[in-house]
Amino acid sequence: MAAYLSMGEAHRRITDYLGRFSDAVSSQDVASLKHILSLSSNSASLLSLADALNLLQDANRLIKQSDRFSQFAEIVAPLFRCIQNYRLGNLVDAYPAYEKAANAFIQEFRNWDSAWALEALYVIAYEIRVLAERADRELSANGKSPEKLKAAGSFLMKVFGVLAGKGPKRVGALYVTCQLFKVYFKLGTVHLCRSVIRSIETARIFDFEEFPQRDKVTYMYYTGRLEVYNENFTAADQKLSYALAHCNPHSEANIRMILKYLIPVKLSIGILPTDWLLEKYNLVEYRNIVQALKRGDLRLLRSALEAHEDRFLRSGVYLVLEKLELQVYQRLLKKIYIIQKQKDPSKAHQMKLEVIIKALRWLGIDMDLDEVECIVAILIHKNLVKGYFAHKSKVVVLSKQDPFPKLMGKPVNA
Amino acid sequence: MMNQGGITETLAPPGTNSLEDRHVVDARHGQPSSYSSSTAGSEASSWTPHSVNNSFTGNGYSASSTYGFEQQAQPPRRDDMNSATEASSLSLGSTSVPQDYNGYMTYQNPTNSYGYGTTGYTGYYSGYQQQTNQSYSQPAGAYQSTNSPYQPLSSFQNTGSYAVPPSYSNSYYGPGDYQTAGTYPNSTYGTQTTWNDGNYTNYSSYQYSNYPSTSSAYSSGNSATAPAQYQPQYKQWTGYYAQSEVSCAPGMENLSVASSSNPECPTPGVPDGTQASNSQPPPTAVPSWRPEPGLSGLPSQQPSVVASTGHDNYWKQHAAPGFQNYNSAAPGFQNHNSAAPGFQNHNSAAPGFQNHNSAAPGFQNHNNAAGQSAFYQPMESKNAYGSYSDEQKSTSDQGPNLQYPVVHQVPQVHQAPQQISSTLDPRRGIKLQIQTNPRIVSNLALGLTKTDKAGSGTTAAAKPAYIGVSLPKPNDKALSSDASDPALKPATFPKSLRGYVERALARCKGDAQIAASQAVLKELITSATADGTLYTQDWDAKPLFPLPDMDGLSNTFQSPLPLPTLRRSPGRRTKSRWEPLPEEKLVNKTLPLTTEPVKYGGYMNDRNRKPFVGNLESKDGLNTPNFLAMEQKTTSFQKPFKRQRLSDSLTTADNGDASSDSDKESSLTAFYSGAIGFSNTPEERKKRESRSKRFEKAHGNRVEISHFKPKSAGSANLYARRATAIVLSKTFEESGSKAVEDIDWDALTVRGTCQEIEKRYLRLTSAPDPATVRPEEVLEKALTMVQNSQKNYLYKCDQLKSIRQDLTVQRIRNKLTVKVYETHARLALEVGDLPEYNQCQSQLKTLYAEGIEGCHMEFAAYNLLCVILHSNNYRDLLSSMSRLSNDAKNDKAVKHALAVRRAVTSGNYVMFFGLYRTAPNLNSCLMDLFADKMRYKAVNCMCRSYRPTVPVSYVAKVLGFAYASSVNGGSDEKDSVGLEESVDWLKAHGACLVADNNGEMQVDTKASSSSLYIPEPGDAVAHGDSSLAVNDFLTRAPS
């Protein structure tokens, strides 16, 4: 089709696009502006424009022809270059052009008193991240070092700076923050999140609840993940639960992502999910872990961890799950205690180390006396077992009152 | 420096250059207190003499004599220096009279600017004001008013400060001085008195100011000292006044005494000073102030800067009203007058000064000389600062005397230069014009002062000092403004007006507002004076004018006006100080000449106006020094460290100037850069400096020239220059990078020819010489040699490093390279040399990534252990775990490392020490580093879980003590060794040990659970890295 494109038609398409752009700005029509800027939508109008641009090389002349267009030359000219390269599949060149256009746009945006173009800015923030990710993929495929996403990160930081002040534009700050989170998590530079979080959370002038719902959910999701990294399970639970409670119930993929982190966090504070939940959101990798916790089956826990080690390592919950081992030990001891109680209630609170070793051996886990003694010591130390250990007689003396305290939503204390 | 600055100003374009240079030099000089020794030999020498004089000054006469000497010696130099600006800067101390004058003038201006800029300035101002008031009876009211505002602003100023001054002075001068006050004049002051009374007073004030500044600088922020200085100054002023009022002889003596006494005994001195002060003291005080700033840590820098702008201002001020005032001043003035001629003489002939100095009779002469010296003083004072402070502390009398002379000299010098240089100085003309526009002028002056401050302040704030150099024209303006100010004589203001001014200023919230308010006030007073309502109007009832809109001004002022802000609120001041000033904005602002200077000038002017209207000029001059001192003080208080750094850099720069042109350039650029970013933090300035230096290297000459030319153009030129510099540097970088890409590395790679197997490591400072580089075969032998060597680690490390170096320069990356790095990494692990290990590890990482074979798994395990043991970051651990391949996970060493990780994260100490026993390779070496932590955690856990006791033998077994000992040999013996070791360890960590019935040691868990602690590492080293402690390292290294 492009081959048959006449010069006149190309000219018309470009002028039409310019006209739409300038109309959108002058009439503050966000919807069409969004459409114009949305590169990844692959809309027909953008594609045909790209063809026209490839045919008509001096689009800049058209921009400069009219005052109406030339005032946006700094935005539109690089945008045209970007569209051209995008159409040709040259993302590495498309990215810098888009960044340039975006830069010019935020300059304009800064000058607009109202926040009417916020939606368009969202589109830009999104496009620049996606474009950078794709460009990086292209770069690393060519054996070059991917650097565009990093550049997008610093550009988004700039956008954040434009929005983070007072006034109506502040509402948009959280969206950009979330885009930044995505960039940083992808780059593995999550420590850079700290400054953004600080400026969001310390701002007294703006109540967090005033941000758009979707941004709040995304923000809570990422900050919750950060708390998981920090082993701060209480905060992680709170943030991820917020995200889950406010997430659109129809976007199951998002709910699954939240649950992926929320379940290990809940497990570590002693709250187990139902099978139904795991199945509904296809989180079956946790099923055996939950079973192990219920049964005190150390072997099952270890095999479950081993089976999904890669997945857990990548999502970053491996160490959280590994720590569940102590709870499994607790459960095991509790079972022994219950059995002993059935046999001889008067001696139930005295648990011989030998019995524990036997139980472990029955699970196929061979541990020597010192090791089990150590585990018991740790259990008592962490307050998962109430009582004391008598070294001389190798007996765990359990408290007669609530020897196996439940976590009750609190993390195992260090 | 000051002299130089002044000269340069008079000289015009070349002068400016020289001024800048000088300024720089001065600053450096001042800061180091090495003035004498620092920088150019000639300068240094001259300075040193001055300092000596100052120290001697305790004996006013001796000081004067020394001054004379210095001056004499310097004069020739100065002349030379005049010709060559650098020389002039150096000569300032010694400079010939005319130069001195110039220098003084400039110095004063700079000092003013400095003072204004810095809080110290405000303090000075207050001091000045008071002094001026006293001395200048006419303006007194205004001055007082100004004083009062200033005082409130700065804690120093708290007039209380005056009263306080005694205490201060006591500290400085020693209370004895105060007591002697009566006698003072006779003894220490006597010398001064012998000098021109007025001059003496001035001197005293100057000295005081100097002292304070010095004291502040030295004491580093002793607020008390600062006030003391102020007080002294005030006293001096008062003394001056008294002198002026009284006829020279007795009055002078009294005054001088008073002044001296003031510093020392605040109360007595103060009253005296106030009484006497009416006359002339302010002018003198001003000079002293200037020197002070110079004196303070930064003093040298300041003087230089001051010289450029400050001098101008001073000159103008002094020349116009100040001079007149001085001349008119009765006794003091007489002295002054005589001094004036003397100045002329001085100007014309340095020898005259020398004569003065040499001759006691020529007190006046001395004064003149002093004035000269004073010009230099800033520099001298700087030099002498150390001595001054010391002297002051030890012998307060001498110190003050010296200072005083300096101060006196300064004013005189200023005057003389002004008069003499009238034709010479374009500024004068400007001044006249400026007079018409007092506000503008004041702004300009302020700007100048600011710049000066910056220059001088470099020591303290350092930012503006540089600017000052490039802003000669603004100075002129400022001077003119000052001149115009004189028309308004604050001394004559009614009290009600003073109160009005105070009220007006008290509500100002920022420097900018103050400055603007001052401008408005000035206008009000001028108009009131013009229509004769000044005394008839009911100022108390008059409503305050609306606060001026500061938008633009505030920006400009913020950085430059630290002093005022300081007085009012230290926090704010610091804030403003560091706030980046929008350079462009400044330019846009009304300040026509140099934006920076203008800003500063605004402050200066404002302050001047407020306090000093009429006398302002002379006072300003005086004030400026005070301000400088204040600034220094304040700066020292706030950030002594930064100051030091700045001063250091400045000193170095000075040295550079003296030594070579390129150095000069760099220093100049440094100044420029400083000027450009007044508000910048020192770090940033340094960065800029280095950046601009880079640029200079290539285009140094051009840059230099451009820098100098811009005087009138001011900041604009600076900006332009900066821009060009950036462009140039960019192009350089580009060309450089291109060149790098084009280089044929293979052609350049060294092929070693050295056959020596043993080679010491020496970090290369030039291209490698093939004759000293070993080829691969020899390196292989060298590696074998090292591996089989019985010598200690240090030797091996040295040899391996040289092998690594030879490999690197020959770009050999193969199995041998891997082997060398692996060998080194293992050796480093064995002795716990982690820094070296990390170097090798990172190299190995890239080598393995290139596909070169080696013990990949072994080092993957080490790497994992390092992450486990040294990073408490979950993410690092996760990412390094997820990077492991399946092959790696099946490797014995890596498996072990992963097991260690599990043991560590779960706190399973039994598992940890079990793994320790079975560690492959050198894994145990890395585990060693974590063993203590693990043991502590374990004992903590045991104490919590075990009851009632746990045997030490069990602890020793479980926590690896027995294992560690068993490595060494026998069975039972080793066990007992392990037991002993564990007992020692447990005791060291606060465990409670008891023996049971069988005599076996037990840990009382309940008692221990609350008494455990981690002892301070016994081998802690001051620098924080015990592995760097050579002795310890050697003992640990297996020989």
Side-chain angles (χ1 to χ4, degrees):
Chain A
M1 152 155 190
Y4 303 116
L5 196 65
S6 74
M7 290 295 279
E9 172 68 6
H11 189 283
R12 194 193 61 75
R13 283 184 192 171
I14 294 168
T15 319
D16 179 53
Y17 180 89
L18 287 169
R20 277 194 287 140
F21 186 92
S22 108
D23 286 348
V25 171
S26 56
S27 64
Q28 307 205 337
D29 179 359
V30 198
S32 59
L33 194 59
K34 268 169 71 178
H35 192 65
I36 287 167
L37 292 170
S38 177
L39 201 59
S40 60
S41 67
N42 287 321
S43 67
S45 63
L46 271 181
L47 292 181
S48 63
L49 172 69
D51 292 335
L53 285 168
N54 282 325
L55 184 69
L56 194 73
Q57 290 300 331
D58 58 346
N60 283 343
R61 195 176 47 82
L62 285 177
I63 298 171
K64 289 192 184 112
Q65 256 175 3
S66 147
D67 280 348
R68 199 158 71 99
F69 304 151
S70 63
Q71 57 176 324
F72 303 115
E74 290 196 352
I75 302 173
V76 179
L79 193 60
F80 279 179
R81 239 182 303 132
C82 169
I83 293 170
Q84 269 180 283
N85 281 308
Y86 184 80
R87 177 69 170 155
L88 297 174
N90 186 357
L91 298 172
V92 176
D93 289 334
Y95 173 78
Y98 197 84
E99 192 188 296
K100 205 168 176 196
N103 237 323
F105 183 81
I106 61 167
Q107 287 304 326
E108 284 295 317
F109 183 83
R110 211 193 295 264
N111 294 332
W112 293 329
D113 287 335
S114 80
W116 69 268
L118 214 49
E119 292 286 334
L121 198 67
Y122 292 166
V123 170
I124 285 180
Y126 173 79
E127 291 291 338
I128 203 153
R129 176 178 69 81
V130 173
L131 194 57
E133 281 173 11
R134 294 177 62 181
D136 270 1
R137 240 172 281 149
E138 190 179 316
L139 276 174
S140 48
N142 295 336
K144 291 177 188 162
S145 75
E147 57 191 15
K148 301 300 182 199
L149 194 55
K150 219 173 185 176
S154 48
F155 173 79
L156 287 173
M157 204 64 208
K158 205 196 282 176
V159 179
F160 181 80
V162 173
L163 298 172
K166 294 178 199 165
K169 293 176 187 173
R170 180 160 179 92
V171 185
L174 203 60
Y175 181 87
V176 181
T177 304
C178 294
Q179 296 297 324
L180 272 171
F181 282 163
K182 289 176 187 175
V183 170
Y184 291 150
F185 272 83
K186 191 136 201 163
L187 287 174
T189 53
V190 292
H191 57 279
L192 295 175
C193 299
R194 189 80 15 234
S195 63
V196 198
I197 293 173
R198 202 181 303 124
S199 82
I200 290 288
E201 293 189 348
T202 59
R204 296 266 172 273
I205 48 164
F206 198 90
D207 188 8
F208 183 76
E209 287 301 328
E210 289 176 46
F211 286 114
Q213 186 82 297
R214 55 149 193 201
D215 294 341
K216 283 188 288 185
V217 170
T218 314
Y219 177 84
M220 283 304 195
Y221 166 74
Y222 279 109
T223 49
R225 281 186 63 183
L226 283 176
E227 297 296 355
V228 174
Y229 282 142
N230 297 335
E231 279 187 274
N232 191 350
F233 296 130
T234 315
D237 175 39
Q238 180 236 319
K239 286 177 188 293
L240 290 170
S241 299
Y242 179 99
L244 183 68
H246 294 82
C247 187
N248 183 342
H250 300 295
S251 53
E252 297 201 353
N254 285 348
I255 292 178
R256 181 175 184 271
M257 282 169 70
I258 295 168
L259 286 175
K260 213 162 128 186
Y261 294 93
L262 185 58
I263 288 174
V265 169
K266 289 278 189 193
L267 288 178
S268 67
I269 58 175
I271 297 167
L272 308 186
T274 61
D275 258 3
W276 171 83
L277 183 78
L278 296 179
E279 260 162 42
K280 182 180 179 193
Y281 292 101
N282 192 26
L283 292 164
V284 284
E285 67 260 32
Y286 291 123
R287 190 188 285 153
N288 280 343
I289 290 170
V290 175
Q291 283 300 318
L293 274 172
K294 280 181 182 164
R295 294 190 205 149
D297 187 343
L298 192 62
R299 182 178 47 183
L300 187 61
L301 178 76
R302 289 188 175 175
S303 68
L305 272 177
E306 206 179 320
H308 303 286
E309 186 179 306
D310 281 348
R311 185 186 302 201
F312 292 147
L313 277 176
R314 248 182 291 122
S315 63
V317 295
Y318 183 85
L319 297 178
V320 179
L321 296 174
E322 197 189 54
K323 290 212 161 181
L324 298 175
E325 216 172 72
L326 283 180
Q327 285 188 60
V328 176
Y329 279 120
Q330 185 203 31
R331 190 81 193 171
L332 182 65
L333 260 63
K334 190 173 181 181
K335 283 192 158 185
I336 296 170
Y337 172 73
I338 291 168
I339 293 168
Q340 282 187 349
K341 213 173 181 178
Q342 286 169 350
K343 279 185 181 170
D344 183 2
S346 61
K347 292 214 171 175
H349 65 283
Q350 285 187 8
M351 195 182 292
K352 285 183 182 163
L353 221 49
E354 287 292 330
V355 179
I356 301 170
I357 291 172
K358 201 185 280 174
L360 284 170
R361 200 171 294 142
W362 182 73
L363 282 170
I365 292 170
D366 208 9
M367 287 172 91
D368 67 17
L369 197 74
D370 282 345
E371 252 179 289
V372 178
E373 191 174 324
C374 173
I375 298 290
V376 170
I378 293 170
L379 285 174
I380 297 170
H381 179 61
K382 303 258 185 198
N383 210 27
L384 285 167
V385 171
K386 269 182 163 181
Y388 65 87
F389 186 78
H391 179 77
K392 223 185 258 175
S393 49
K394 302 284 180 195
V395 168
V396 188
V397 181
L398 298 169
S399 160
K400 281 177 183 162
Q401 196 182 357
D402 190 18
F404 301 102
K406 287 187 176 146
L407 285 171
M408 308 289 284
K410 284 178 194 155
V412 175
N413 63 355
Chain B
M1 301 298 286
M2 303 278 288
N3 291 330
Q4 293 176 354
I7 294 165
T8 51
E9 289 177 352
T10 54
L11 293 175
T16 55
N17 292 323
S18 62
L19 285 171
E20 294 176 352
D21 292 335
R22 292 172 185 173
H23 289 295
V24 176
V25 175
D26 289 349
R28 296 169 182 176
H29 290 297
Q31 293 179 349
S33 75
S34 56
Y35 284 124
S36 57
S37 60
S38 68
T39 61
S42 63
E43 291 183 358
S45 64
S46 65
W47 289 96
T48 47
H50 286 296
S51 63
V52 174
N53 290 330
N54 292 328
S55 61
F56 287 109
T57 41
N59 310 325
Y61 292 103
S62 64
S64 64
S65 66
T66 54
Y67 280 110
F69 283 107
E70 293 176 357
Q71 290 175 353
Q72 290 174 356
Q74 294 175 349
R77 291 177 184 173
R78 289 181 179 177
D79 292 339
D80 297 346
M81 298 188 52
N82 289 330
S83 58
T85 54
E86 293 178 357
S88 64
S89 63
L90 293 170
S91 61
L92 288 175
S94 62
T95 53
S96 60
V97 176
Q99 294 178 351
D100 290 358
Y101 283 113
N102 294 327
Y104 283 117
M105 296 292 287
T106 54
Y107 281 106
Q108 292 174 352
N109 291 326
T111 50
N112 287 326
S113 60
Y114 286 112
Y116 290 106
T118 55
T119 47
Y121 281 99
T122 55
Y124 284 108
Y125 280 113
S126 63
Y128 280 112
Q129 295 172 355
Q130 294 175 354
Q131 293 175 356
T132 53
N133 290 330
Q134 296 172 354
S135 62
Y136 299 91
S137 56
Q138 301 170 352
Y143 283 95
Q144 292 174 357
S145 65
T146 53
N147 288 330
S148 60
Y150 283 110
Q151 293 173 354
L153 290 170
S154 65
S155 57
F156 298 97
Q157 294 175 352
N158 300 338
T159 3
S161 59
Y162 285 138
V164 176
S167 62
Y168 287 108
S169 57
N170 290 333
S171 59
Y172 284 104
Y173 294 58
D177 292 346
Y178 280 108
Q179 296 171 355
T180 53
T183 56
Y184 279 133
N186 297 328
S187 60
T188 56
Y189 285 94
T191 55
Q192 295 177 354
T193 53
T194 53
W195 300 13
N196 297 330
D197 292 344
N199 293 326
Y200 281 114
T201 55
N202 291 327
Y203 284 99
S204 62
S205 63
Y206 284 110
Q207 294 174 354
Y208 282 109
S209 63
N210 290 329
Y211 281 94
S213 64
T214 54
S215 63
S216 65
Y218 286 104
S219 60
S220 74
N222 296 333
S223 59
T225 57
Q229 295 174 354
Y230 287 108
Q231 295 172 354
Q233 292 178 352
Y234 286 106
K235 294 174 181 177
Q236 292 175 357
W237 287 103
T238 56
Y240 281 111
Y241 287 105
Q243 291 174 357
S244 62
E245 290 176 0
V246 183
S247 52
C248 300
M252 300 278 291
E253 292 176 357
N254 292 329
L255 293 169
S256 63
V257 174
S259 64
S260 61
S261 66
N262 287 329
E264 297 171 356
C265 309
T267 48
V270 172
D272 293 347
T274 53
Q275 295 172 356
S277 63
N278 292 326
S279 60
Q280 301 167 349
T284 54
V286 174
S288 64
W289 293 99
R290 295 173 181 174
E292 290 178 359
L295 292 170
S296 61
L298 305 174
S300 60
Q301 295 178 350
Q302 292 178 348
S304 62
V305 177
V306 173
S308 62
T309 54
H311 286 298
D312 293 348
N313 291 327
Y314 280 106
W315 286 95
K316 291 176 181 178
Q317 296 174 354
H318 290 292
F323 282 114
Q324 294 173 359
N325 291 334
Y326 285 108
N327 293 328
S328 63
F333 286 126
Q334 290 175 358
N335 293 328
H336 286 293
N337 291 331
S338 61
F343 284 152
Q344 293 174 359
N345 293 330
H346 289 298
N347 292 325
S348 59
F353 282 106
Q354 296 173 355
N355 292 331
H356 289 294
N357 293 326
S358 61
F363 279 105
Q364 296 176 354
N365 294 329
H366 284 294
N367 291 328
N368 295 329
Q372 296 174 355
S373 60
F375 290 139
Y376 298 100
Q377 280 178 351
M379 310 197 40
E380 293 177 356
S381 60
K382 296 171 181 177
N383 298 328
Y385 281 123
S387 62
Y388 273 110
S389 60
D390 293 336
E391 291 175 0
Q392 291 174 351
K393 291 174 182 175
S394 60
T395 57
S396 57
D397 296 353
Q398 292 178 353
N401 290 329
L402 293 168
Q403 294 176 350
Y404 286 118
V406 175
V407 174
H408 290 293
Q409 292 173 357
V410 174
Q412 290 175 357
V413 175
H414 288 292
Q415 293 174 355
Q418 291 175 349
Q419 294 174 354
I420 296 166
S421 64
S422 62
T423 53
L424 295 173
D425 291 347
R427 296 175 183 175
R428 292 179 182 175
I430 295 169
K431 291 175 180 176
L432 295 172
Q433 297 173 353
I434 293 166
Q435 285 175 354
T436 55
N437 299 327
R439 289 181 180 177
I440 296 170
V441 174
S442 63
N443 289 327
L444 294 169
L446 291 172
L448 292 171
T449 53
K450 291 176 179 180
T451 54
D452 291 335
K453 290 176 180 179
S456 57
T458 43
T459 51
K463 310 168 184 176
Y466 294 105
I467 300 168
V469 176
S470 61
L471 301 169
K473 289 182 178 178
N475 288 328
D476 291 344
K477 289 183 178 179
L479 291 171
S480 64
S481 66
D482 290 344
S484 64
D485 286 352
L488 311 168
K489 295 182 179 179
T492 62
F493 293 161
K495 269 190 183 178
S496 62
L497 172 53
R498 268 182 272 146
Y500 179 79
V501 172
E502 275 178 58
R503 271 183 286 128
L505 294 180
R507 65 195 174 135
C508 294
K509 285 177 181 170
D511 292 341
Q513 280 199 340
I514 294 173
S517 300
Q518 284 175 340
V520 174
L521 282 172
K522 196 175 185 178
E523 224 176 33
L524 272 176
I525 294 166
T526 317
S527 64
T529 315
D531 48 48
T533 58
L534 183 64
Y535 296 93
T536 56
Q537 195 159 3
D538 183 3
W539 291 100
D540 290 329
K542 187 177 168 74
L544 289 174
F545 53 86
L547 270 180
D549 182 10
M550 308 308 311
D551 283 355
L553 293 172
S554 62
N555 290 328
T556 50
F557 288 114
Q558 289 174 346
S559 61
L561 302 172
L563 287 174
T565 45
L566 282 174
R567 289 181 177 179
R568 294 188 179 173
S569 64
R572 185 189 287 165
R573 171 229 191 181
T574 49
K575 208 183 185 181
S576 65
R577 210 195 215 172
W578 299 110
E579 263 176 24
L581 294 175
E583 296 173 357
E584 292 180 6
K585 281 185 181 178
L586 292 173
V587 177
N588 291 334
K589 293 174 182 178
T590 51
L591 304 179
L593 295 177
T594 56
T595 55
E596 297 172 356
V598 173
K599 296 173 183 178
Y600 289 103
Y603 281 97
M604 295 293 287
N605 288 330
D606 290 343
R607 293 177 182 175
N608 289 329
R609 289 175 184 173
K610 293 175 183 177
F612 310 91
V613 183
N615 299 325
L616 293 178
E617 290 175 323
S618 60
K619 291 178 180 179
D620 285 353
L622 296 170
N623 291 328
T624 49
N626 291 326
F627 284 104
L628 291 169
M630 295 287 287
E631 286 183 356
Q632 294 173 352
K633 294 173 182 179
T634 54
T635 51
S636 64
F637 290 120
Q638 292 182 346
K639 356 181 156 171
F641 293 97
K642 284 177 182 172
R643 239 210 208 162
Q644 283 183 351
R645 249 191 277 151
L646 290 170
S647 63
D648 288 352
S649 63
L650 289 169
T651 54
T652 54
D654 287 336
N655 292 329
D657 287 353
S659 60
S660 72
D661 283 352
S662 65
D663 286 347
K664 274 188 188 173
E665 294 176 1
S666 65
S667 66
L668 286 173
T669 51
F671 284 140
Y672 285 112
S673 63
I676 290 167
F678 341 5
S679 58
N680 293 346
T681 59
E683 293 90 331
E684 203 162 333
R685 210 189 325 125
K686 274 189 179 175
K687 274 189 212 159
R688 286 205 180 139
E689 249 179 73
S690 62
R691 261 184 263 137
S692 54
K693 275 185 190 170
R694 217 182 2 176
F695 164 69
E696 285 176 15
K697 279 179 188 171
H699 309 268
N701 293 329
R702 230 203 283 162
V703 174
E704 212 179 351
I705 292 163
S706 63
H707 285 303
F708 290 116
K709 287 180 181 175
K711 274 190 176 181
S712 61
S715 58
N717 281 334
L718 287 175
Y719 294 110
R721 205 189 303 135
R722 189 188 174 198
T724 54
I726 291 167
V727 171
L728 286 170
S729 63
K730 268 189 183 173
T731 55
F732 278 131
E733 281 169 14
E734 283 171 12
S735 62
S737 65
K738 270 183 193 170
V740 169
E741 280 175 10
D742 293 341
I743 290 173
D744 178 3
W745 292 105
D746 288 329
L748 289 177
T749 302
V750 177
R751 286 278 163 261
T753 59
C754 177
Q755 295 300 316
E756 296 281 325
I757 288 174
E758 202 174 4
K759 180 185 159 187
R760 294 225 55 175
Y761 171 72
L762 184 69
R763 192 180 177 126
L764 285 176
T765 55
S766 61
D769 177 8
T772 62
V773 173
R774 294 162 290 184
E776 196 175 335
E777 320 85 74
V778 182
L779 288 174
E780 230 161 304
K781 286 182 205 162
L783 178 61
T784 318
M785 184 272 290
V786 172
Q787 281 171 331
N788 298 328
S789 167
Q790 295 301 309
K791 296 189 182 173
N792 69 13
Y793 172 73
L794 286 183
Y795 168 81
K796 289 181 182 172
C797 179
D798 186 65
Q799 289 298 315
L800 285 166
K801 277 170 95 85
S802 78
I803 294 172
R804 281 161 50 185
Q805 185 187 59
D806 285 353
L807 288 168
T808 305
V809 298
Q810 298 179 91
R811 295 174 62 221
I812 298 172
R813 289 175 84 79
N814 55 20
K815 279 188 181 178
L816 175 66
T817 321
V818 170
K819 225 172 162 185
V820 169
Y821 278 106
E822 284 176 352
T823 307
H824 199 172
R826 289 192 193 107
L827 278 173
L829 276 183
E830 276 174 30
V831 298
D833 185 1
L834 277 184
E836 204 65 57
Y837 163 77
N838 286 331
Q839 278 187 32
C840 297
Q841 175 75 274
S842 64
Q843 274 296 324
L844 284 170
K845 218 173 180 180
T846 61
L847 287 166
Y848 292 144
E850 287 173 22
I852 303 169
E853 283 179 30
C855 306
H856 193 161
M857 290 305 153
E858 179 187 342
F859 282 90
Y862 295 155
N863 190 38
L864 197 56
L865 283 172
C866 266
V867 176
I868 296 161
L869 303 181
H870 298 288
S871 147
N872 35 19
N873 189 331
Y874 253 38
R875 287 200 54 263
D876 289 348
L877 191 50
L878 282 167
S879 64
S880 53
M881 280 174 72
S882 60
R883 271 199 303 267
L884 289 173
S885 65
N886 281 333
D887 281 353
K889 281 176 189 165
N890 290 325
D891 181 82
K892 185 186 167 201
V894 176
K895 265 187 173 171
H896 177 265
L898 285 170
V900 171
R901 193 235 81 217
R902 178 187 292 264
V904 170
T905 48
S906 66
N908 191 327
Y909 47 88
V910 172
M911 189 172 155
F912 180 89
F913 288 101
L915 288 166
Y916 184 91
R917 210 170 5 153
T918 62
N921 302 327
L922 296 168
N923 282 11
S924 61
C925 292
L926 281 164
M927 292 174 76
D928 271 338
L929 302 170
F930 205 72
D932 238 29
K933 260 189 223 170
M934 206 68 200
R935 280 171 179 161
Y936 181 73
K937 270 185 172 173
V939 171
N940 241 329
C941 175
M942 285 183 193
C943 288
R944 175 101 160 70
S945 344
Y946 285 77
R947 290 286 183 280
T949 59
V950 62
V952 174
S953 59
Y954 174 75
V955 174
K957 185 181 110 190
V958 166
L959 298 188
F961 289 110
Y963 302 138
S965 62
S966 69
V967 172
N968 292 338
S971 54
D972 287 346
E973 266 190 31
K974 283 108 204 206
D975 267 5
S976 69
V977 171
L979 197 64
E980 265 174 43
E981 196 186 336
S982 65
V983 168
D984 290 345
W985 188 91
L986 287 168
K987 278 181 179 164
H989 288 73
C992 214
L993 300 183
V994 291
D996 67 1
N997 299 334
N998 300 331
E1000 201 182 345
M1001 290 296 280
Q1002 306 271 348
V1003 180
D1004 181 345
T1005 53
K1006 196 166 187 179
S1008 299
S1009 62
S1010 57
S1011 66
L1012 287 177
Y1013 66 92
I1014 298 175
E1016 292 286 319
D1019 58 348
V1021 185
H1023 46 70
D1025 185 353
S1026 59
S1027 68
L1028 293 177
V1030 174
N1031 290 337
D1032 182 52
F1033 190 79
L1034 286 173
T1035 57
R1036 280 191 291 127
S1039 58

